[in-house]
Amino acid sequence: MSVFDGLKYRKVSSPIHDLDPRIKFFYVCAIFVGAILFWTILPLLILFAIQIPFVLLAGVKREWLRSLRGTIFLAAIIFLTNLIVRYFASGGALLVTDLEFAAAMTLRFIVLVGSFSVFFLTTSPDHLGLALERTRMPYEFSFAFTTAVRFVPVLAEEAQTIMDAQKARGLELEKGNFLKRIRNYIPVLVPLIVSAIRRSLELAEAMESRAWGATKKRTNLYILRLKQGDFILFVITIVILMVTVYVRIYIDVPGLSQFLSGVS
Amino acid sequence: MVIIETKNLSYTYPGGTKPSLNDVSIKIKAGEFALITGSSGSRKTTICRCFNGLIPHFYKGELEGEIRVADKDTTKHPTFEMAKEVGLVFQNPENQLFALSIEKDVAFGLENLGVPREKMRQRVDWALKLAGIYDLRERSPHEISGGQQQRVAIAAVLAMQPKIIVLDEPTSFLDPLSAKKIFEVIHDLNRKLGITVVLVEHRLDLTAKYADHIIIMDKGRVCQDGNPRTILGAESTRLIGVGIPKATLLFQMLAKDGLKLGSVVPLSSDEIAQSLLEAIKPHD
Ligand SMILES: Nc1ncnc2c1ncn2[C@@H]1O[C@H](COP(=O)(O)OP(=O)(O)O)[C@@H](O)[C@H]1O
Ligand SMILES: [Mg+2]
């Protein structure tokens, strides 16, 4: 189950969880734009810091840190690649600014992952489905999305059951080389797929029986309504956007080493 | 008033060579608690699919004969129209819940029908309360037990306020205690709201006492149809392989050995207990 634990949706309530997913998405996009606009550490550090109160308010510190920790490997690759490219580009010399540049690119990546992670950690799939419905997308898409999320834990449990059953009959999953191991999973996959197909037929039957497709003008039990918090976040996001664009255009942002030497 | 009527109904699944339903003619009255039973594979599920038009609209195949449900010819009305008249509850509770919260699931049918939100909210709460799961309304379906899931399925169908509820072995995935609770909920709906109930079940120990009408199927045919006490009490029924209630069996055995416990055939343990108490009470 452990692999799927991260996908399992847990219902929590916090000021951030209650925000409108559309506004939250706008905020994530603003951070995204900000991160793309800057090539130096300082502003990226600020963009990173902006997210911390957000995370704390949502009470998802542990999950957030875990998702950041998950990026360490990729972050290291980004850092090294940048360093190596810079090294060869400058003809075999490595300056402090090159180090700074590589660090900035890594930080940019971490900012992007961090902001998306906050979004997904604090947005319930139900909300996401509603937001999807609000776009011009056909209802079938958002229905497929929420139903898929609904069945993730069910299928995960089923996969586990099948694996246990096959192991009890002598199947050894962890044996052999890479290809062999993949082949070991066939006796698990086949029943899983067969059962998923049967399940989808039963689902279709149950949907039909509950008037699926009765009218084009479907209604919804929940609606997204903008609340005070959403307006606050909206204003914050606009400010972030304006400041980043202004700074990008009119201010020559110093590098970290320049900045530090300027201060002292 | 007859609410479900089939006349010489025969049906063959697409690609099938032999008919799955054979010349089925039944009548179920409005407000009745009808029990359909029969061995596994006797096409109980197939007949249920006819009641809301899944057969022939969803399953295609060949349907012959007549069928009228709530004054509608199901072959002429699509399933989403029949859904307002007939609610179907299926065997596996897990595969009939699609949403991420229980109340959203209960609302699903109403959303499809385009019911305005205020009215939807009322009906959802009403159905949740009737099924006894109002407190669970914000949970996700994965967090609740099978018995509770099945009650969600019942509430989901109830919210659409159908005249008929058809339940196809709703408790076969459940433990006996949850099953008993489900039957009580169903019985309540029938008695208090006057909803016509068609229950497919082979555990008759818990359900026969609620039934006004029993239909026994065998290989796609109706082989017994009528009053539960007459049919379950009859010697011939035992031979078809139907799970006759133990109380009824005991009554029959005692009768064979010359002890007649009252004039009414008991269908449950409390009924036979009653007869026994009557019998051993000192007469003066
Ligand atoms: N979708 C289907 N397509 C073809 N045949 C089916 C289908 N569903 C059921 N059957 C046939 O119907 C028979 C079982 O009927 P069913 O109504 O499920 O019985 P019961 O519910 O009494 O156990 C099976 O023998 C199977 O061949
Ligand atoms: Mg069946």
Side-chain angles (χ1 to χ4, degrees), chain A residues 11 199 210 219-220 222, chain B residues 95 103-105 115 138:
Chain A
K11 204 168 270 175
R199 195 186 289 283
R210 274 154 70 191
T219 47
N220 209 313
Y222 302 138
Chain B
N95 291 347
E103 57 179 8
K104 180 92 171 141
D105 232 306
V115 172
E138 286 183 354

Side-chain angles (χ1 to χ4, degrees), chain B residues 44-45 91 168-169:
Chain B
K44 304 181 294 293
T45 299
Q91 203 163 1
D168 184 10
E169 300 192 42

Side-chain angles (χ1 to χ4, degrees), chain B residues 5-284:
Chain B
E5 178 167 23
T6 71
K7 265 190 211 149
N8 309 104
L9 196 71
S10 295
Y11 173 71
T12 314
Y13 279 106
T17 43
K18 279 193 239 145
S20 277
L21 288 178
N22 235 318
D23 207 18
V24 172
S25 301
I26 53 173
K27 274 184 196 169
I28 292 170
K29 292 203 200 84
E32 228 172 39
F33 192 119
L35 197 57
I36 300 182
T37 187
S39 54
S40 172
S42 59
R43 321 292 151 77
K44 304 181 294 293
T45 299
T46 306
I47 186 90
C48 289
R49 287 170 180 158
C50 295
F51 292 153
N52 75 340
L54 281 172
I55 288 176
H57 302 295
F58 183 76
Y59 281 94
K60 312 293 179 208
E62 260 177 69
L63 189 69
E64 280 163 44
E66 280 174 46
I67 173 164
R68 287 188 76 78
V69 178
D71 281 327
K72 291 196 171 93
D73 180 346
T74 58
T75 60
K76 301 218 167 64
H77 295 265
T79 301
F80 61 73
E81 262 177 49
M82 293 312 298
K84 283 181 267 183
E85 313 284 352
V86 192
L88 239 68
V89 175
F90 298 88
Q91 203 163 1
N92 188 344
E94 201 153 57
N95 291 347
Q96 41 190 328
L97 307 181
F98 332 100
L100 296 165
S101 73
I102 279 149
E103 57 179 8
K104 180 92 171 141
D105 232 306
V106 173
F108 181 77
L110 302 176
E111 293 180 340
N112 285 333
L113 292 173
V115 172
R117 227 165 48 79
E118 299 299 312
K119 201 167 158 201
M120 186 179 337
R121 186 79 251 177
Q122 284 170 10
R123 285 221 231 158
V124 166
D125 289 347
W126 170 82
L128 285 167
K129 280 177 194 152
L130 274 177
I133 45 171
Y134 185 72
D135 294 337
L136 304 175
R137 66 190 179 283
E138 286 183 354
R139 301 269 202 99
S140 94
H142 197 65
E143 294 171 335
I144 60 174
S145 71
Q148 290 167 334
Q149 284 182 341
Q150 200 58 290
R151 279 197 260 169
V152 176
I154 292 175
V157 152
L158 259 185
M160 298 169 80
Q161 300 188 325
K163 298 190 184 81
I164 308 163
I165 293 193
V166 178
L167 307 104
D168 184 10
E169 300 192 42
T171 64
S172 59
F173 284 64
L174 310 182
D175 59 278
L177 192 63
S178 312
K180 193 159 171 280
K181 277 192 202 142
I182 295 282
F183 294 138
E184 281 162 8
V185 169
I186 300 167
H187 178 55
D188 263 5
L189 297 178
N190 176 249
R191 207 184 35 176
K192 291 190 185 146
L193 303 178
I195 297 177
T196 308
V197 168
V198 178
L199 174 65
V200 174
E201 188 59 58
H202 49 229
R203 281 190 282 188
L204 302 186
D205 271 313
L206 292 172
T207 51
K209 61 178 170 193
Y210 299 136
D212 305 312
H213 179 177
I214 189 164
I215 296 168
I216 302 179
M217 309 234 352
D218 188 38
K219 303 194 188 77
R221 292 175 187 278
V222 171
C223 70
Q224 300 267 9
D225 182 353
N227 180 291
R229 287 181 209 276
T230 322
I231 289 182
L232 293 175
E235 190 67 22
S236 55
T237 309
R238 218 175 62 221
L239 306 173
I240 320 171
V242 169
I244 311 250
K246 290 186 197 70
T248 315
L249 285 177
L250 180 61
F251 175 85
Q252 285 174 332
M253 277 189 232
L254 290 175
K256 214 193 228 159
D257 293 341
L259 174 63
K260 192 129 169 51
L261 278 176
S263 54
V264 183
V265 181
L267 295 176
S268 64
S269 50
D270 34 325
E271 283 179 7
I272 200 164
Q274 196 59 43
S275 311
L276 276 169
L277 283 176
E278 287 283 323
I280 59 174
K281 202 164 65 183
H283 291 275
D284 35 32

